[in-house]
Every structure is written in C-alpha cells, then in structure tokens.
Amino acid sequence: MKYKDSGVNIDRANRAKAAIAAHVKSTWGREVLSKTGAFGGLFAQSGSYKEPVLVSSIDGVGTKVMIATMVGRFDTVGRDLVNHCVNDILVQGAEPLFFLDYLASAELDAERASAIVEGIAAACRENNCALIGGETAEMPGVYHGEDFDLAGCIVGVVEKSRIIDGSGIAPGDAVLALPSTGLHTNGYSLARHVFFELLELGVGDRVPELGCTVGEELLKVHASYLSPVRKLMESIAINGLAHVTGGGLLDNLPRILPGSCNARVEKGSWPVPPVFGFLAEKGDVDEAEMFRVFNMGLGMVLVVAASDRDKVAACAPDARVIGEIVKGDGKVTLV
C-alpha cells in the first residue's frame, strides 16, 4: 500500500509547493535569512527602535473561500487574508514585518495553490511584509471535493511609547472612519444564505442594484488601511483604532473604548455600499442584526482629538466623521 492509496499524494503536494516558491521569494528583502522549504522562517528585525514591541495576529478568510471556488478565482482571497491581518496589528500602531500562511484542502491543486499564494505575495509586497513560511496540508476526510481553508499569521513591530491602545480616548474626541470595499471577510454565511438559498442566484448572475455580478461583489478585496493610517500617524496623535470585522461596529469599537466612555455614532453620516441594503431587504434582516454582522461600509474607525479632525480629512480624503466620544460605560450608541 502507498500513501496515495489513502488519498494523500506526496508528489502532487511537492509540485504544488514548487509552484508557489517564486511568489514567496518575491516578497523577500535582506531581512529574510532562511530559504524556501526550511523548517522555520528566519527574519532579522532591523530599524531604529529603542523599545521594540512585537505585535502578532492570526486570522482566516472564512467561508469566502467557498465563493472563490464557485467563481474559479483564487488570487483575491490571498489578498484578503494578508490585508485583514495587517489591519489587525495596525490598530495597535504596528508595522508588519513578516507573514506565514496555512492552506489546507482535500487534494492539493498546484494551479489553485499558486494563484492563492500569488495573491498573498502581492499583498505582502504592497504592505512591505515578507512571506517567510507556511503550510500546505492535504487532508482527505477532513475536507471533501474542492473544499479548502485559508488562514495566516502576521508579526509586526511598534515602538513601545507609540502603542495605540485606546487609553487616551476621552469625551469630546471625534470618531471618524475609512470606508470598506464591501463585505471584506465577514458575514459570508448570511450573505451566501440570502444570495444562493433565498434568491437562488448564481455567482455569474448580474444584480442591477449592485451594478455587477454576485461573484464580483462577494470577491471584492478586503482593504488594507496601512498606507492612510501611516500617513496620519506622522502628523497627528491617534487615540484609538478599531478594525471593523466579525461582530461589526457594535462589537469591535467597544474593544478600544475606556470603561468611562461611549461612542455616539450617527447613522447616515457615511455612504453605505448598496450590497448592505440589498441583503437587509432581500433577507429581511433588521438593522440591529446588520450592524452586528457586517461592517456596513466602515472598514477602520479612528478616534482623534476634535482639534485634529480636519487634519484627518487632509491626509485621508475618504475618511468621514461619524460621531463623537461621550461619557458612558464602554458601549456604542447609534443615533
């Protein structure tokens, strides 16, 4: 008996790994000391930090991978993965250093794996982040058919004195937000239920209200906010940052609020992409649930002193003032 008789093909896995090697190397600078295929990635952290603090995060793309399979396009989920993780450490003020990915499937397909890692590598280059390792696992029995899962781990660095933790947030501060590109990587189980089960649409069906096909809408890439936030950090003090992911605005913004403060958010103060109204109407989803599940057009929330509000607009023209900080008990109120 051979290993492949149980469903695992070592030769096929090696071909998949060889196909992604060039994408991985394209993200490397002189800080990367390891080579492809090593047991661990070696990264020589450099810079002028006096008290460097490493910041790490791990996340996945969730059931958005199912949309990629349905459409037959796999590079966008790789970008989603990196950008999501970059944003997660950015809220603490960290710059990304390196990234590692995890790709698991019932059967490793070299072409699909190459496309996924090509997207990961492209996003790593755009975020100045080295892709120094990963795992490609073939697990028949756990996954079936074309099933696959995608996750990643990021490590960044921030000067200890410049950590953003929300402790400086105070009543009177302005609450602003940078727009999302769509659903990003959250709420896809509900979105799939509405599009494919209730409405019985296919990924190739064009929806007039959205101005594109279902697949195009659902594969819009999760935005990275590294560039605009980095520019803001050079000119003003940011008191708090919240990446609006799973749990929406109502669960994510409270994570950075002091216990003595509330965020008062004004509905209608930002443009909401059509996909959210479409899902609410066609799925009969009430407003409270929409705000708990989806980002509702807000990808990154910023809290700054009221006197710096105009400076944010100058550095990040897409930013919108959505509310203010008031006395409270660490919650978000929608008005």
Side-chain angles (χ1 to χ4, degrees), residues 45-55 94 97 156-163:
Q45 194 272 321
S46 60
S48 57
Y49 296 93
K50 295 180 180 179
E51 293 185 278
V53 175
L54 295 180
V55 183
L97 293 175
V157 63
V158 61
E159 186 69 62
K160 186 176 182 180
S161 62
R162 301 196 66 184
I163 293 174

Side-chain angles (χ1 to χ4, degrees), residues 54-67:
L54 295 180
V55 183
S56 60
S57 183
I58 187 168
D59 219 310
V61 180
T63 60
K64 193 171 184 177
V65 296
M66 298 174 70
I67 310 300

